[in-house]
Amino acid sequence: MKIAIIGAGNVGGSVAYAIILREFATQIVLVDINEDLLYAKELELSQSIAALNLDIELICSTDYSHTKNSDIVLFSAGFARKDGQSREELLQLNTNIMLDCARKIKEFSADPLFIILTNPVDFLLNTLYESKIFSSKKIVAMAGVLDNARFKYELAKKLKAKISSVDTRLIGFHNDDMVLVKSYASVKNQKISELLSEEEFEDLENEVKTGGAKVIKHLKTSAYLAPASACVRMLESIRSGEFLPMSVILHGEFGVQNKALGTMARLGLEGVVEIMKLDLSNEEKDKIKKSLIKYQYIKE
C-alpha cells in the first residue's frame, strides 16, 4: 500500500506517525513546500520506523513525482482554523491550495482514493468534485469519524461508561449543523433516549459541537492527534468493511444531488462502496433538512 500525504504540518505528520504505528502502509510519501519541516519530519518518522524495527519506506520531498502510483492520497495542507474563525472562512484560503495540489497529484496518479482532511472539508469536497479532477466515487472527506469520536467520548464520560460499550452515529456537515443521530445511539445496548433527558442530550450535543473549538482555545492551534487517529480508523475500514461517518458526494440521498454531505458509508480502494440507509426520527430529518436549506443544497 502506497500512501501520499500532502502537507507535513501537525495533522499530516501525525497521520504519517499513526500509519507507521498501525503498519498500514509499506510506502509513505510526505509532500510539503517547507524543506526545513520536511527534514525534521523525515528524521523523526524514520527514527520511529527504526525504533519499531519496521520495513516501511518513507520519502519526504517537495517533488510530487515521488507520489507516482499512490493508492491513497491524504490532503492535509492549507491553513488551520484559528480561535474565533469559522470553518467557512477557511474555504477561500484553502480552495486554491487544494486544487493546485490535486492537479499535481493527477500528473502522477490517475485516480487514487483522495481523502480531504483540511477544513472546511464538506465545501472543499464540493469544490474538488466540481473541478472534475477525480471521479466523484474516489473523493471523500474525513470529519465524521472525528465528530463521532467526540460524540462517543462525551457520552461515555457523561454516563461513566466504557468507550467500547458506546455505539454512536453521526451525519451532516462538519460544523454546528452536524446531526448526532440520537435514535441509533446506545450504551450497553440501551438507547440513550432512556438514559438522558432532552436537556441532558442538548448539553451533550453542545459539548460535541464545540469539541474542536475547545482544543483551539487552549492549544492555540487546531486539533491534530484526534483527527490523525480518525483518519487511520477510516483507512483501516477499507480492509474491515466497516460503515463509518464520512463526507461523500451524494447522488439523491437526503434529496441531495451532486453535493458533499456527511453520512454513514463504506469505503474501499475503489472509492465509496455503499451508503447506509438510516431510519431517522422526524426530529433528525428536520435538522438535516434545515441544514440543507441553509447551505442551499435543497430549496425550502
Side-chain angles (χ1 to χ4, degrees):
M1 179 83 72
K2 181 174 182 177
I3 298 179
I5 303 170
I6 313 304
N10 286 337
V11 173
S14 298
V15 169
Y17 182 57
I19 289 171
I20 289 166
L21 290 178
R22 304 293 274 191
E23 298 182 58
F24 187 80
T26 54
Q27 291 177 288
I28 301 171
V29 180
L30 198 55
V31 177
D32 203 284
I33 59 173
N34 187 328
E35 292 184 355
D36 286 336
L37 178 63
L38 283 172
Y39 180 72
K41 295 293 182 181
E42 184 169 18
L43 288 174
E44 280 269 84
L45 294 171
S46 296
Q47 291 163 11
S48 298
I49 291 169
L52 295 168
N53 199 33
L54 301 175
D55 291 320
I56 297 174
E57 180 184 359
L58 173 71
I59 298 172
C60 297
S61 177
T62 60
D63 185 355
Y64 276 78
S65 67
H66 292 292
T67 67
K68 186 176 180 179
N69 297 328
S70 292
D71 298 295
I72 301 171
V73 175
L74 306 175
F75 176 75
S76 63
F79 294 94
R81 188 159 62 112
K82 297 178 181 177
D83 189 14
Q85 184 181 40
S86 71
R87 294 181 178 93
E88 287 71 26
E89 287 175 311
L90 285 176
L91 181 58
Q92 192 56 49
L93 289 172
N94 288 332
T95 291
N96 293 336
I97 296 171
M98 180 193 66
L99 292 179
D100 180 58
C101 292
R103 291 187 184 102
K104 289 175 180 175
I105 286 292
K106 183 74 172 181
E107 291 180 37
F108 303 101
S109 300
D111 204 23
L113 177 61
F114 193 101
I115 303 177
I116 297 171
L117 310 182
T118 301
N119 273 318
V121 291
D122 303 296
F123 304 110
L124 283 176
L125 182 53
N126 280 337
T127 301
L128 185 59
Y129 169 73
E130 291 164 5
S131 74
K132 300 187 185 303
I133 296 172
F134 304 112
S135 64
S136 64
K137 188 179 179 181
K138 298 292 287 287
I139 56 175
V140 297
M142 193 291 298
V145 180
L146 173 61
D147 291 328
N148 200 42
R150 289 170 175 161
F151 184 9
K152 180 174 285 195
Y153 162 73
E154 293 292 348
L155 185 54
K157 184 174 71 171
K158 192 172 190 67
L159 295 176
K160 296 180 174 58
K162 291 182 179 180
I163 291 287
S164 59
S165 70
V166 179
D167 186 22
T168 55
R169 294 178 189 177
L170 184 142
I171 58 174
F173 295 98
H174 180 49
N175 56 27
D176 290 344
D177 294 299
M178 69 179 74
V179 177
L180 282 61
V181 187
K182 181 181 178 182
S183 57
Y184 279 89
S186 65
V187 177
K188 295 180 182 178
N189 296 318
Q190 187 175 3
K191 292 185 177 181
I192 63 168
S193 57
E194 301 170 2
L195 301 170
L196 298 178
S197 66
E198 285 295 328
E199 185 178 349
E200 287 173 325
F201 182 74
E202 287 177 8
D203 289 341
L204 175 80
E205 195 172 34
N206 182 63
E207 291 299 318
V208 174
K209 290 181 177 182
T210 58
K214 285 181 284 190
V215 173
I216 292 170
K217 180 179 178 180
H218 296 281
L219 192 61
K220 309 308 178 188
T221 188
S222 57
Y224 53 91
L225 293 177
S229 300
C231 179
V232 171
R233 175 78 182 280
M234 196 169 169
L235 294 177
E236 291 182 336
S237 76
I238 293 170
R239 292 175 176 167
S240 69
E242 179 183 12
F243 279 95
L244 289 175
M246 63 188 78
S247 188
V248 305
I249 299 297
L250 299 182
H251 300 289
E253 298 85 359
F254 300 106
V256 174
Q257 288 289 349
N258 305 326
K259 291 282 189 180
L261 186 72
T263 188
M264 299 295 297
R266 195 159 58 84
L267 197 61
L269 282 178
E270 66 271 40
V272 179
V273 176
E274 185 181 0
I275 292 175
M276 180 186 286
K277 293 181 180 179
L278 293 169
D279 186 16
L280 302 177
S281 68
N282 289 333
E283 182 182 5
E284 290 157 356
K285 289 177 183 176
D286 187 53
K287 286 181 178 179
I288 278 290
K289 184 178 179 180
K290 285 181 179 178
S291 68
L292 294 177
I293 293 170
K294 176 179 178 179
Y295 296 105
Q296 300 181 337
Y297 272 38
I298 60 173
K299 293 182 180 180
E300 193 166 3

